């Protein structure tokens, strides 16, 4: 982890710098630095502890980011596969009830079966459900009655699959070497017995799933470009069933797995890898075949390309750990600024110590700045890492949602085309409407709808578009006898062969009880290939799309939605974004400001699956959108105390005066150094009601051998700063009066100290007459120079310490108003700085 090593080296070098300053101070100016040396030691120790925390956090975050990428790839792989195989268990169960297959098995038992029509029917099925490469029909004794793939054994007598399927009423899922694959290779088979009337086993149906082809499609859809991740599928014995790159990890190899689904160190082929192994989550009660997906990356390349993160750290809200690290950094820097500020006050009062002490303080200040900048950089790297992880997670979830939707709708297009080949539907729709025929049609539809619960209803209609039968009627009226709708009828009439299907727009209609959804339809043809009607399957989009999105999002903070090309929401997990509503423009992919929070938003277009939406001419132009909530955005503008402040060159070196500068809100203020005794931490404040406007409480201040208690006034209240301070804001300036320059008279709560400067008298400007009446605390405006990117002349508002003390002396003479009126608020508005610096 190069960026971690670089940070560790830089922080270690800064630690050596602090040691050097500490040692130099003790040797070169022990008397002047007597009060500062303990602070230097504490600062060095605190920065050292913070350095260790940062390096550990940088390392663990880098590992966590890699682990989440590996886990995402592995989990998506196995979850997509399990959902796909769940559909296969339904397929084999439904096809085993096909009356054509059942009749053929009975005829084969009598010895008068004609295999040619059956093979054409099985080929039609395989053409529509292209996930199968072979379909086999067996007799109960194991004889092969019909098979799409030529060659192979004439019987499976003695094969365990035969006995298991006959003994079981449901499906049998089997993976391993089989005579039904070329050369006896491993294959994934789905088998189910075909029952004749009375429950007698008439035969067995076996579907051979295209596992290798399907796994390559899944691997391609979840592959992380440029990460060199080896992605494989493992069986219960940790052997590779399928591999994204067989030249790297061959099928049949045995791997070490990472325990507990977490990132772990494993070895393979003489090299070390970081790996994650994930089992499937199951779907609709189907657990899957017990396989796991395994993602691993070599330690040689695991962290390559991770140093150039382009995410804006300022946009990422702090995590709990980052907030703690930043708070500790702010506290250290605040203490350091206060000590340096006090040291400069002391240097100004003790002229004989001034030169050496000022040089020492300059070194301390520079070391503090460099340390702060490097730690800030490390914290920014942590924020970028956290943000990149959220953006990666949002994209992966959106991609998974789009893939799941396409795979589900692929099955819907297959279903309607296959059901349109039903001999019962063909016979019923070819004949004139009759009660008995329509009842038979409805019975077939109810049976199928009971097996395929993703549909609101199934219905069949004649060539004239009039509905003949439904599986489930509408709540308050019957659909039988109504028109199917001209758009859908015309689309069905225009289908040229049994491989074509029609889909409605995503819209509400009487067929769907007035709820927006897709309706899939296919033409039913007679023996002369004439269209005699059609079948329509009304997809239960409100339930099924919402379920897909909910399964993908899980318990993550955020929401997911399917959105069409016009920005219309088709389904959403957010109640405030119902179907039919427009997607807010703020939710553009990337980082979004929405509902007073920051979100990581990803949108992935659903581009199809196999031939669906890729080769069949259909495209519903839907995107899957996932928005993960990052948290309340802290608008962390640059602090006033981060901008260096300097005095303008004086006209005469001897005609200067000292000024202690500080800031309150966005305004800079100053006091004569002669009236400021010290800056103290806010910890000593005792909150109390003094019957005094703008008062906060009392502060005990050392005085000679004892101490005195002084009132504390709030500068924010005095100057009309209404917005809340930052967590680390708050320094108490202890002030004296001209009459008693060494005795504490009052303390002023300010946001932070800035600098102590010596400015020429010519740079102190008088207060404009229009402001003097409204600002009794103001004694002048001091021209200064701001450094850094915000360079240029600025103004500091100079206060009179005696005026502040007089406010404190008013204690007990008047009750405090409910809302204290600002004394110098107008100054903060009128005397704008050049340039104006806002938070």
């Amino acid at each position: 982890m190069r960026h971690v090593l670089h940070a560790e080296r830089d922080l270690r070098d800064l630690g050596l710098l602090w040691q050097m300053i500490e040692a130099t101070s003790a040797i070169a100016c022990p008397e002047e630095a007597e009060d500062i040396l303990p602070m230097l030691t504490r600062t060095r120790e605190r920065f050292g502890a913070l350095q260790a925390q940062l390096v550990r956090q940088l390392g663990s975050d880098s590992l966590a980011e890699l682990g989440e990428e590996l886990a995402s790839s592995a989990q998506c792989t196995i979850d997509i596969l399990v959902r796909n195989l769940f559909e296969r268990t339904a397929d084999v169960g439904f096809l085993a009830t096909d009356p054509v297959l059942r009749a053929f098995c009975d005829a084969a038992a009598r010895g008068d079966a004609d295999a040619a029509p059956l093979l054409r029917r099985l080929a039609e099925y395989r053409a529509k459900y292209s996930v199968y490469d072979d379909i086999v029909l067996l007799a109960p004794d194991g004889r092969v009655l019909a098979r799409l793939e030529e060659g192979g054994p004439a019987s499976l007598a003695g094969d365990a699959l035969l006995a298991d399927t006959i003994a079981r009423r449901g499906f049998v899922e089997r993976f391993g070497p089989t005579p039904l694959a070329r050369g006896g290779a491993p294959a994934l088979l789905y088998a189910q017995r075909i029952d004749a009337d009375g429950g007698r086993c008439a035969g067995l149906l076996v579907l051979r799933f295209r596992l290798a082809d399907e796994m390559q499609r899944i691997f391609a859809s979840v592959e992380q470009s440029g990460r060199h991740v080896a992605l494989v599928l493992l069986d219960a014995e940790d052997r590779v069933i399928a591999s994204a790159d067989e030249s790297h990890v061959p099928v049949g190899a045995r791997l070490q797995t990472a325990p507990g689904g977490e990132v772990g160190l494993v070895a393979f082929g003489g090299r070390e890898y970081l790996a994650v192994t994930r089992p499937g989550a199951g779907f609709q009660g189907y657990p899957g075949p017990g396989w796991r997906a395994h993602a691993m990356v070599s330690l040689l390349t695991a962290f390559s390309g991770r140093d150039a993160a382009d995410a804006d750290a300022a946009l990422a809200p702090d995590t709990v750990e980052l907030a703690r690290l930043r708070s500790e950094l702010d506290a250290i820097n605040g203490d350091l600024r206060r000590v340096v500020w006090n040291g400069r006050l002391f240097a100004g009062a003790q002229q004989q110590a001034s030169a050496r002490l000022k040089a020492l303080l300059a070194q301390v200040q520079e070391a503090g700045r460099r340390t702060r900048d490097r730690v800030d950089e490390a914290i920014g790297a942590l924020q970028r890492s956290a943000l990149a992880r959220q953006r990666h997670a949002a994209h992966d979830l959106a991609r998974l949602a789009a893939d799941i939707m396409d795979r589900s709708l692929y099955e819907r297009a297959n279903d309607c085309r296959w059901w349109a080949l039903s001999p019962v539907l063909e016979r019923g729709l070819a004949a004139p409407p009759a009660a008995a025929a329509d009842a038979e049609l409805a019975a077939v539809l109810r049976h199928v709808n009971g097996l395929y619960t993703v549909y609101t209803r199934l219905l069949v209609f004649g060539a004239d578009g009039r509905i003949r039968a439904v599986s489930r009627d509408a709540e308050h009226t019957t659909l039988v006898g109504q028109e199917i709708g001209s758009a859908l009828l015309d689309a069905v009439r225009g289908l040229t062969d049994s491989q074509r299907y029609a889909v409605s727009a995503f819209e509400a209609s009487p067929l769907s009880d007035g709820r927006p959804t897709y309706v899939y339809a296919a033409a039913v043809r007679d023996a002369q290939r004439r269209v005699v009607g059609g079948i329509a399957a009304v997809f239960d989009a409100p339930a099924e799309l919402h379920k897909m999105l909910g399964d993908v999002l899980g318990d993550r903070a955020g929401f997911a939605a399917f959105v069409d090309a016009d920005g219309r929401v088709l389904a959403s997990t957010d109640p405030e974004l119902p179907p039919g509503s427009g997607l807010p423009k703020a939710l553009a992919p990337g980082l979004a400001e929405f509902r007073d929070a920051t979100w990581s938003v990803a949108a992935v277009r659903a581009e199809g699956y196999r031939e669906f939406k890729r080769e069949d001419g259909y495209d519903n132009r839907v995107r899957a959108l996932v928005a993960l909530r990052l948290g309340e955005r802290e608008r962390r503008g640059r602090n006033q105390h981060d901008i260096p402040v300097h005095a303008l060159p004086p006209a005469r070196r001897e005609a200067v005066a000292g000024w202690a500068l500080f800031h309150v809100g966005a305004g800079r203020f100053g006091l004569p150094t002669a009236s400021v005794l010290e800056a103290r931490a806010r910890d000593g404040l005792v909150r109390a009601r003094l019957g005094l406007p703008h008062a906060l409480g009392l502060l005990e201040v050392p005085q000679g051998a004892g101490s005195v208690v002084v009132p504390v006034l709030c500068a924010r209240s005095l100057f009309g700063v209404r917005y809340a301070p930052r967590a680390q804001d708050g320094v108490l300036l202890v002030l004296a009066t001209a009459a008693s320059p060494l005795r504490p008279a009052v303390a002023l709560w300010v946001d932070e100290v800035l600098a102590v400067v010596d400015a020429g008298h010519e740079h102190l400007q008088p207060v404009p007459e229009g402001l003097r009446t409204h600002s009794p605390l103001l004694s002048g405006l001091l021209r200064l120079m701001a450094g850094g990117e915000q360079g240029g002349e600025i103004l500091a508002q100079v206060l009179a310490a005696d005026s502040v003390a007089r406010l404190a002396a008013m204690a007990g003479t008047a009750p405090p108003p409910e809302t204290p009126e600002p004394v110098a608020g107008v100054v903060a508005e009128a005397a704008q700085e050049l340039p104006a610096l806002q938070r």
Side-chain angles (χ1 to χ4, degrees):
M1 303 181 186
R2 288 193 299 273
H3 70 288
V4 179
L5 295 176
H6 291 165
E8 184 177 30
R9 180 198 61 202
D10 292 348
L11 292 170
R12 184 174 59 247
D13 290 347
L14 288 169
L16 294 175
L17 175 62
W18 281 105
Q19 288 180 342
M20 184 178 67
I21 293 175
E22 189 178 345
T24 302
S25 304
I27 295 172
C29 49
E31 293 181 3
E32 296 88 340
E34 182 179 0
D35 294 333
I36 298 177
L37 281 174
M39 178 277 299
L40 291 177
T41 302
R42 287 195 305 271
T43 300
R44 174 176 53 80
E45 291 173 348
R46 293 174 70 182
F47 272 130
L50 186 61
Q51 165 196 338
Q53 296 173 41
L54 278 169
V55 171
R56 283 196 301 269
Q57 193 68 28
L58 284 167
S60 63
D61 270 31
S62 295
L63 184 61
E65 181 183 356
L66 175 64
E68 288 179 9
E69 290 184 13
L70 295 176
S72 173
S73 297
Q75 197 68 61
C76 286
T77 297
I78 192 63
D79 285 348
I80 290 174
L81 178 64
V82 168
R83 281 176 175 265
N84 189 311
L85 299 186
F86 167 76
E87 297 282 355
R88 312 292 66 88
T89 65
D91 287 351
V92 71
F94 176 71
L95 188 57
T97 64
D98 185 39
V100 177
L101 271 65
R102 185 181 299 173
F104 178 84
C105 289
D106 288 340
R110 298 191 302 268
D112 59 354
D114 182 3
L118 177 72
L119 290 175
R120 286 195 296 271
R121 184 166 180 79
L122 295 181
E124 283 271 18
Y125 186 87
R126 184 175 64 176
K128 292 165 180 58
Y129 295 87
S130 55
V131 294
Y132 302 111
D133 55 9
D134 195 15
I135 303 176
V136 185
L137 204 61
L138 303 173
D141 61 2
R143 288 178 296 116
V144 176
L145 302 179
R147 185 180 183 185
L148 287 179
E149 187 176 88
E150 297 181 356
S155 174
L156 258 69
D159 194 291
L161 178 65
L162 190 69
D164 290 349
T165 306
I166 292 175
R168 188 170 180 176
R169 291 293 178 180
F171 72 91
V172 171
E173 183 180 57
R174 178 68 52 82
F175 176 78
T178 174
L180 295 178
R182 290 189 181 92
L188 180 59
L189 306 177
Y190 288 88
Q192 186 147 334
R193 56 183 281 170
I194 300 173
D195 288 340
D197 294 337
R200 174 182 56 85
C201 180
L204 290 83
L205 173 68
V206 182
L207 307 179
R208 193 175 75 194
F209 182 64
R210 300 174 65 184
L211 179 63
D213 175 76
E214 179 62 22
M215 289 310 305
Q216 291 308 313
R217 293 174 184 271
I218 295 176
F219 289 146
S221 70
V222 302
E223 183 180 8
Q224 301 294 327
S225 60
R227 292 303 192 200
H228 309 292
V229 174
L231 194 57
V232 300
L233 188 67
L234 300 178
D235 64 13
E237 283 75 40
D238 299 334
R239 292 195 182 277
V240 177
I241 300 171
S243 172
D245 184 359
E246 290 196 44
S247 63
H248 185 187
V249 184
V251 171
R254 194 161 191 167
L255 300 182
Q256 286 183 328
T257 57
E262 301 298 328
V263 63
L265 190 65
V266 300
F268 174 71
R271 291 185 177 180
E272 289 184 310
Y273 291 79
L274 290 171
V276 172
T277 310
R278 286 293 179 91
F283 182 67
Q284 300 286 340
Y286 168 68
W291 297 338
R292 293 156 299 152
H294 180 81
M296 64 184 193
V297 60
S298 169
L299 282 178
L300 298 177
T301 59
F303 299 98
S304 62
R306 294 176 182 271
D307 296 334
D310 58 356
D312 186 354
L315 297 176
D318 285 343
T319 63
V320 173
E321 181 63 24
L322 285 178
R324 189 184 63 78
L325 291 172
R326 189 175 292 281
S327 177
E328 176 65 10
L329 174 64
D330 288 344
I332 295 173
N333 282 323
D335 290 347
L336 187 61
R337 276 191 302 272
R338 192 175 66 253
V339 171
V340 171
W341 198 81
N342 284 335
R344 291 192 179 276
L345 280 178
F346 175 77
Q350 305 291 329
Q351 293 299 323
Q352 67 275 17
S354 176
R356 285 181 296 183
L357 184 55
K358 284 184 176 181
L360 169 61
L361 292 172
Q363 290 296 316
V364 171
Q365 193 170 31
E366 175 61 19
R369 184 194 62 78
R370 290 175 57 186
T371 304
R372 179 204 62 209
D373 289 349
R374 190 58 186 91
V375 173
D376 259 340
E377 183 181 335
I379 291 177
L382 288 172
Q383 287 182 297
R384 286 190 295 273
S385 174
L387 186 58
R389 288 159 60 186
Q390 290 291 343
R391 296 175 72 172
H392 178 84
H395 183 269
D396 276 356
L397 294 173
R399 181 178 55 184
L400 178 60
D403 192 80
I404 289 174
M405 182 189 199
D406 277 338
R407 287 167 178 269
S408 175
L409 299 187
Y410 158 84
E411 302 289 347
R412 311 295 68 89
N414 294 345
D415 289 346
C416 69
R417 290 181 294 164
W418 173 247
W419 297 335
L421 300 179
S422 167
V424 177
L425 300 187
E426 176 190 338
R427 184 173 60 251
L429 293 178
D438 291 351
E440 184 181 15
L441 291 173
V444 170
L445 297 181
R446 284 194 297 270
H447 172 70
V448 175
N449 206 170
L451 295 174
Y452 290 80
T453 58
V454 297
Y455 298 104
T456 301
R457 60 179 53 90
L458 308 177
L459 50 90
V460 292
F461 52 93
D464 59 355
R466 195 168 299 279
I467 297 173
R468 296 274 300 274
V470 298
S471 61
R472 299 169 185 156
D473 224 332
E475 292 183 4
H476 305 296
T477 185
T478 180
L479 293 173
V480 176
Q482 296 188 25
E483 297 290 339
I484 189 68
S486 59
L488 197 59
L489 179 61
D490 290 344
V492 170
R493 286 172 175 171
L495 299 177
T496 56
D497 56 55
S498 63
Q499 282 298 101
R500 304 295 174 181
Y501 63 94
V503 189
S504 73
F506 192 88
E507 61 188 10
S509 74
L511 303 182
S512 60
D513 299 328
R515 299 184 300 173
T517 188
Y518 295 114
V519 178
Y520 291 81
V524 177
R525 304 172 188 273
D526 61 13
Q528 287 74 41
R529 314 309 300 160
R530 294 174 301 188
V531 175
V532 295
I535 181 171
V538 182
F539 182 52
D540 189 5
E544 295 302 319
L545 295 183
H546 188 274
K547 186 185 303 180
M548 294 177 200
L549 295 171
D551 289 346
V552 167
L553 189 64
D555 58 358
R556 297 173 179 86
F559 59 87
F562 290 122
V563 184
D564 68 12
D566 298 323
R568 183 173 55 123
V569 175
L570 308 186
S572 168
T573 60
D574 188 337
E576 297 184 30
L577 294 175
S581 63
L583 185 73
K585 292 183 179 180
L587 291 174
L591 292 177
E593 292 294 312
F594 182 62
R595 295 176 183 166
D596 299 323
T598 303
W599 304 73
S600 178
V601 181
V604 174
R605 183 174 177 180
E607 296 183 336
Y609 169 65
R610 293 187 176 272
E611 67 277 3
F612 175 68
K613 291 173 53 175
R614 294 181 176 178
E615 302 171 9
D616 57 12
Y618 173 64
D619 185 1
N620 59 353
R621 302 173 66 197
V622 170
R623 294 173 296 147
L625 181 140
V626 171
L628 298 181
R629 192 177 189 276
L630 301 177
E632 301 294 336
R633 179 175 177 182
E634 180 186 346
R635 304 191 179 277
R636 188 184 295 124
R638 191 171 186 184
N639 292 320
Q640 292 278 26
H641 49 259
D642 289 336
I643 303 172
V645 177
H646 310 286
L648 293 170
R652 291 185 300 145
R653 186 178 299 273
E654 64 276 8
V656 296
W659 302 98
L661 305 178
F662 57 93
H663 79 86
V664 179
R668 291 187 181 87
F669 298 86
L671 282 161
T673 53
S675 63
V676 183
L677 299 180
E678 64 174 326
R680 297 183 66 84
R682 62 188 180 182
D683 301 340
L685 173 66
V686 177
R687 299 278 180 171
R689 294 182 61 85
L690 305 179
L692 174 67
H694 316 293
L696 292 177
L698 299 171
L699 177 68
E700 185 177 7
V701 183
Q703 171 67 18
S707 63
V708 296
V709 176
V710 298
V712 179
L713 301 183
C714 177
R716 282 180 158 262
S717 177
L718 283 169
F719 305 148
V721 179
R722 302 300 188 190
Y723 52 86
R726 298 167 187 264
Q728 295 297 330
D729 285 350
V731 176
L732 300 177
L733 304 186
V734 181
L735 311 182
T737 63
S740 302
L742 300 180
R743 181 178 177 81
V746 65
L748 187 64
W749 175 296
V750 303
D751 284 356
E752 187 56 87
V753 294
L754 293 178
V756 176
V757 299
D758 292 329
H761 295 310
E762 69 275 11
H763 298 312
L764 181 63
Q765 307 295 321
V767 180
E769 289 299 327
L771 296 179
R772 189 179 300 277
T773 304
H774 301 286
S775 307
L777 299 183
L778 194 63
S779 64
L781 299 174
L782 183 64
R783 294 172 54 219
L784 298 164
M785 177 67 69
E789 297 177 357
Q790 302 287 352
E793 279 199 20
I794 57 174
L795 290 176
Q797 304 167 51
V798 177
L799 308 179
D802 285 5
S803 299
V804 177
R806 280 195 297 273
L807 282 178
M810 294 166 54
T813 63
E818 293 184 3
T819 303
E821 291 297 328
V823 174
V826 67
V827 181
E829 299 177 6
Q832 291 295 318
E833 299 165 352
L834 304 173
L837 300 179
Q838 301 298 326
R839 283 180 182 263

